[in-house]
Amino acid sequence: MAKATIKDVAEKAGVSVKTVSRVLNDEPRVKPSTKEKVEKAVAELKFKRNPLACGLRSNQSFVVTLIYSNPNPGYIYELQNGILSQCSKLGYHLQLQPCDYKDPNLLEIIEDLIEHTPQDGLLLTHPVCDNQAVRELLVKKGMPFARISTFREDKNSPGVYCNDKLAAIEMTNHLISLGHTKIAFIKGHPDFGATEKRYLGFLEAMKSWDIEVNPTFVKEGAFTFASGEEAARKLLIQKDKPTAIFSSNDYMAAGVLKVAAQLGINVPTDLSVVGYDDTPVSQQIWPSITTLRQPIFELAQTAVNQLVKKIKKQDISEQDIEFKCELITRASAGPIKINK
Amino acid sequence: MAKATIKDVAEKAGVSVKTVSRVLNDEPRVKPSTKEKVEKAVAELKFKRNPLACGLRSNQSFVVTLIYSNPNPGYIYELQNGILSQCSKLGYHLQLQPCDYKDPNLLEIIEDLIEHTPQDGLLLTHPVCDNQAVRELLVKKGMPFARISTFREDKNSPGVYCNDKLAAIEMTNHLISLGHTKIAFIKGHPDFGATEKRYLGFLEAMKSWDIEVNPTFVKEGAFTFASGEEAARKLLIQKDKPTAIFSSNDYMAAGVLKVAAQLGINVPTDLSVVGYDDTPVSQQIWPSITTLRQPIFELAQTAVNQLVKKIKKQDISEQDIEFKCELITRASAGPIKINK
DNA sequence: TTGAAAGCGCTAACAA
DNA sequence: TTGTTAGCGCTTTCAA
């Protein structure tokens, strides 16, 4: 069974090829009765357009490329699922382009990509989307793109992001509501915009309750298990220990749990530990980690919508769309012990 | 700057388009000097072929589709990386098709996919590749495919897999070499071929050392954290406890660690726990989990090679290519306590 | 509201 | 060894 072509449909419907094309593209000025005839023929022949031919002629490809440089497989997995779900609704395909955001050739790689692979638009995840040179290149080349989990605003491109600061405030308030005041904070990797936003949220919440932040309670981290471990070791051998540790992500929180276990500190009775991101590990560890979940799937879907609007040169009502994180309480954080 | 076409190259090199096409396709019977001229023109114009046009004309798309139904993001992530790396070498693109292996419409979804999306071949991961109806459909439709991590042989398609049985033997031997004889085993989900292979390896190793397997030491699991927890609870409240637990994957091993911690059983001094798959969690937990690592990246690369050979109708010397797992010793397993 | 013809960039078939 | 011509399946332009 050779695949049906537009010609077969035209013949079957008794109209010209062009008319079929008009129906397929939802162009106006087609008589309803004609449209019906064509649609019937399409259905009977199980006709689907050859995307290659469409792309060739109209200089479109219905492909969008996801550029990512993120060591968190769970995040990428969920992101892809969200993108795929929306792409398939809108008739687009997804191309993957992993990269290293620190690669000195990043700009050339991206330039090569947009010059030589057919695609209609790009989805950039952080931290690549926060790279100004990359954004400028894309604007110069006229390649539509949308930013995901971004931390820099940009008038030339739409973006979606989670309000990290707000979420960090909520988490800090949660710890305070459990009675904690001696709260330590482990920062993330300085290359990531989230690092600062999360820290600022922590500071703001502490300030709003007039709780002083002990400078020895703030440690640098790097979003890795080992960096969480190291920070925790410093925090927990101090004479004046915190009663709660807010880690900027779950990997580091897992590192904190390790150190606590080694030092014989019981979590959550002697120490509350919270993380960020709702990474799979936060449920696969004991105690399971109280954390903040980004709606990654929805973020991704919305980014695709924004990108497709941009591709089709439609109005983008909101340039940067904000999402909220969800506080997920698990076993690693609890009320402070009174008789301490 | 409009993109250069094959016409521009032909003009610049002073030859016909067909000659350029010959050079691009590495066809024989081109005079070396002509070839050089063309290659120079290609380089100067930074010409790259328009894949859409190639695909349309030659009825190829240089797209391969990965069909997966696997809840382990780390596995998929690594698999994609391996596939992408090899695809880019061979000039192919990757399309993603997540699915649910239990979906009653799976067959129709795949039929629709191969009928209506241009692609040259399919990569099937387990358990989808072990579905005979799916394989028969693809053979019937003449769509080339390769199987990844497969457990059924198939004369009509190439495949790559890890020798799970061998790996399980190695792990069991490892535990035995640490002095353990009271070894429990938690099986995986019965829908996955790995489940049986891993169990058989365990049994074989035990038998080879003439160690009897206590039937109460074998529990059903489902590859989930909760199922590991449940199995461990049953195992560890018995009067006659095992001194080591071999979990069929890391998620379940993490569940075992939780129960051990709750029951005050120290790992690894009082109990050794080992897993399988080298999932990220195995390093993000304390004690870190001794496990088996599949060379997923290499598996994926090889599968792409096999598939492309199949697409190009080249000889496939080896139909099913075997890989070995690597035993990774971490903190969760140690020598048995003598003075028990 | 509809159609005829041209052509997107490339390769296959055939000819020279 | 190289070139000419046609055409993949569709959309665009222009005309009716």
Side-chain angles (χ1 to χ4, degrees):
Chain A
M1 179 198 94
K3 264 190 221 171
T5 74
I6 196 172
K7 237 171 147 177
D8 303 321
V9 177
E11 215 167 284
K12 182 142 197 153
V15 297
S16 78
V17 199
K18 175 60 218 185
T19 304
V20 177
S21 171
R22 282 204 180 89
V23 173
L24 294 175
N25 291 304
D26 262 332
E27 283 176 41
R29 268 172 291 199
V30 178
K31 217 198 318 185
S33 66
T34 313
K35 191 171 171 181
E36 229 166 78
K37 267 196 298 185
V38 172
E39 277 165 354
K40 194 168 151 245
V42 167
E44 276 174 21
L45 293 169
K46 292 194 181 176
F47 168 77
K48 289 239 180 136
R49 271 181 290 188
N50 180 330
L52 260 43
C54 296
L56 177 59
R57 191 63 185 91
S58 58
N59 211 20
Q60 280 184 282
S61 62
F62 295 98
V63 168
V64 297
T65 305
L66 173 67
I67 298 185
Y68 56 103
S69 168
N70 193 309
N72 187 335
Y75 179 84
I76 297 299
Y77 185 80
E78 189 69 6
L79 202 63
Q80 285 180 359
N81 285 340
I83 293 170
L84 287 168
S85 106
Q86 198 60 20
C87 274
S88 82
K89 279 183 211 155
L90 300 175
Y92 280 78
H93 289 272
L94 173 64
Q95 183 179 185
L96 300 179
Q97 179 68 54
C99 68
D100 174 4
Y101 78 98
K102 283 185 190 157
D103 190 334
N105 297 316
L106 182 61
L107 226 55
E108 281 133 69
I109 291 170
I110 293 182
E111 182 159 6
D112 189 70
L113 178 79
I114 59 181
E115 296 267 287
H116 298 305
T117 335
Q119 61 212 311
D120 298 343
L122 260 42
L123 291 164
L124 304 186
T125 61
H126 75 109
V128 179
C129 60
D130 297 327
N131 181 323
Q132 197 183 345
V134 169
R135 292 203 309 273
E136 278 170 3
L137 171 72
L138 297 178
V139 169
K140 198 179 98 193
K141 295 279 177 184
M143 174 61 69
F145 65 99
R147 294 165 286 116
I148 299 176
S149 299
T150 192
F151 298 99
R152 306 254 178 293
E153 305 218 339
D154 178 7
K155 281 177 188 163
N156 295 304
S157 62
V160 296
Y161 67 97
C162 264
N163 193 325
D164 270 318
K165 194 174 149 191
L166 199 69
I169 290 174
E170 197 184 344
M171 181 62 94
T172 311
N173 285 342
H174 175 65
L175 289 173
I176 293 170
S177 76
L178 289 169
H180 297 278
T181 52
K182 292 159 80 170
I183 305 175
F185 189 89
I186 306 177
K187 292 160 96 174
H189 194 288
D191 279 359
F192 289 74
T195 296
E196 202 199 341
K197 304 263 178 175
R198 292 174 188 181
Y199 182 51
L200 289 177
F202 166 71
L203 291 181
E204 193 170 311
M206 293 293 271
K207 196 169 177 191
S208 75
W209 292 91
D210 276 328
I211 303 172
E212 211 173 317
V213 176
N214 182 337
T216 65
F217 281 3
V218 176
K219 299 291 174 200
E220 306 286 329
F223 282 142
T224 63
F225 182 81
S227 70
E229 215 183 315
E230 198 189 333
R233 222 174 284 283
K234 286 185 201 151
L235 286 169
L236 296 175
I237 57 163
Q238 293 179 118
K239 193 154 181 209
D240 185 28
K241 289 190 205 31
T243 63
I245 298 179
F246 183 175
S247 282
S248 292
N249 79 349
D250 295 331
Y251 292 160
M252 297 197 297
V256 173
L257 291 182
K258 169 181 171 179
V259 173
Q262 289 182 328
L263 297 178
I265 299 172
N266 187 282
V267 177
T269 41
D270 297 329
L271 176 73
S272 284
V273 177
V274 299
Y276 203 116
D277 283 339
D278 192 30
T279 314
V281 69
S282 59
Q283 297 183 61
Q284 293 156 1
I285 203 168
W286 186 254
S288 57
I289 302 174
T290 288
T291 190
L292 289 157
R293 193 187 85 89
Q294 296 187 47
I296 304 173
F297 194 90
E298 293 78 10
L299 224 61
Q301 287 187 314
T302 307
V304 171
N305 281 341
Q306 297 271 80
L307 176 60
V308 169
K309 274 186 194 165
K310 185 93 183 172
I311 290 171
K312 298 192 169 166
K313 300 188 199 295
Q314 293 169 353
D315 261 4
I316 294 172
S317 44
E318 234 182 317
Q319 195 72 359
D320 276 83
I321 299 183
E322 182 177 306
F323 284 78
K324 278 202 177 54
C325 288
E326 183 190 350
L327 177 65
I328 299 178
T329 53
R330 295 211 177 95
S332 67
I336 193 166
K337 260 201 310 197
I338 302 298
N339 58 337
K340 185 155 188 176
Chain B
M1 180 196 90
K3 264 192 222 169
T5 75
I6 197 172
K7 235 171 148 179
D8 302 321
V9 177
E11 213 167 287
K12 181 141 197 154
V15 297
S16 78
V17 275
K18 178 60 218 186
T19 304
V20 177
S21 170
R22 282 205 181 88
V23 174
L24 295 175
N25 291 305
D26 262 330
E27 282 176 42
R29 268 174 291 199
V30 177
K31 213 192 335 183
S33 67
T34 314
K35 192 173 173 182
E36 227 167 79
K37 267 197 299 185
V38 171
E39 276 165 353
K40 194 168 151 244
V42 166
E44 277 174 18
L45 293 169
K46 293 193 181 174
F47 169 78
K48 290 240 178 132
R49 270 182 292 189
N50 180 329
L52 259 42
C54 297
L56 176 59
R57 189 63 184 93
S58 58
N59 211 21
Q60 280 184 282
S61 63
F62 295 98
V63 168
V64 298
T65 304
L66 173 67
I67 299 185
Y68 56 102
S69 168
N70 193 310
N72 187 335
Y75 179 83
I76 297 300
Y77 184 80
E78 189 68 6
L79 202 64
Q80 286 180 359
N81 286 339
I83 293 170
L84 287 168
S85 105
Q86 198 60 20
C87 274
S88 81
K89 279 183 210 155
L90 301 174
Y92 279 79
H93 289 272
L94 173 64
Q95 184 179 185
L96 301 178
Q97 180 68 52
C99 69
D100 174 4
Y101 77 99
K102 284 184 191 157
D103 190 335
N105 297 317
L106 181 61
L107 225 55
E108 282 134 70
I109 291 170
I110 293 182
E111 181 159 5
D112 189 71
L113 178 78
I114 60 182
E115 296 268 287
H116 297 306
T117 336
Q119 60 212 311
D120 299 342
L122 260 43
L123 292 164
L124 304 185
T125 60
H126 76 108
V128 179
C129 61
D130 297 327
N131 181 324
Q132 197 183 343
V134 169
R135 293 203 308 273
E136 277 170 4
L137 172 71
L138 298 179
V139 169
K140 199 180 98 194
K141 296 278 176 184
M143 175 60 70
F145 65 99
R147 293 164 288 117
I148 298 176
S149 299
T150 190
F151 298 97
R152 305 256 179 292
E153 305 218 337
D154 179 6
K155 281 177 189 163
N156 295 303
S157 62
V160 296
Y161 67 98
C162 263
N163 193 323
D164 269 318
K165 195 174 148 190
L166 200 69
I169 290 174
E170 197 184 343
M171 181 61 96
T172 312
N173 285 342
H174 175 65
L175 289 172
I176 293 170
S177 76
L178 289 169
H180 296 280
T181 53
K182 292 160 78 171
I183 305 174
F185 189 89
I186 305 177
K187 292 161 95 174
H189 194 289
D191 279 359
F192 289 74
T195 295
E196 203 198 342
K197 305 264 177 175
R198 293 175 187 180
Y199 181 53
L200 289 176
F202 165 71
L203 291 181
E204 193 171 311
M206 292 293 271
K207 197 171 177 188
S208 76
W209 293 92
D210 277 329
I211 302 171
E212 211 173 315
V213 176
N214 182 337
T216 65
F217 281 1
V218 176
K219 298 292 174 200
E220 306 286 329
F223 283 142
T224 61
F225 181 82
S227 71
E229 213 183 317
E230 199 188 333
R233 221 173 284 284
K234 287 185 201 151
L235 287 168
L236 296 174
I237 57 162
Q238 293 179 121
K239 196 158 181 207
D240 185 27
K241 288 189 205 32
T243 63
I245 298 179
F246 184 174
S247 281
S248 292
N249 79 349
D250 294 332
Y251 293 160
M252 295 196 298
V256 174
L257 290 181
K258 168 181 171 180
V259 173
Q262 289 182 326
L263 296 178
I265 299 172
N266 187 283
V267 177
T269 41
D270 297 330
L271 177 72
S272 284
V273 177
V274 299
Y276 203 118
D277 285 338
D278 192 29
T279 314
V281 70
S282 60
Q283 298 183 59
Q284 292 156 1
I285 203 168
W286 187 254
S288 57
I289 302 174
T290 289
T291 190
L292 289 157
R293 192 188 86 88
Q294 295 187 47
I296 304 173
F297 194 90
E298 294 78 10
L299 223 61
Q301 287 187 313
T302 306
V304 171
N305 281 340
Q306 297 272 79
L307 177 59
V308 170
K309 274 186 193 164
K310 186 91 185 171
I311 290 171
K312 298 191 168 166
K313 299 185 200 297
Q314 293 169 355
D315 261 4
I316 294 172
S317 43
E318 234 182 317
Q319 195 73 359
D320 277 82
I321 298 184
E322 182 176 306
F323 283 79
K324 278 201 177 53
C325 287
E326 182 191 348
L327 178 64
I328 298 178
T329 53
R330 295 211 177 95
S332 67
I336 192 168
K337 259 200 310 194
I338 304 296
N339 59 337
K340 188 154 188 179

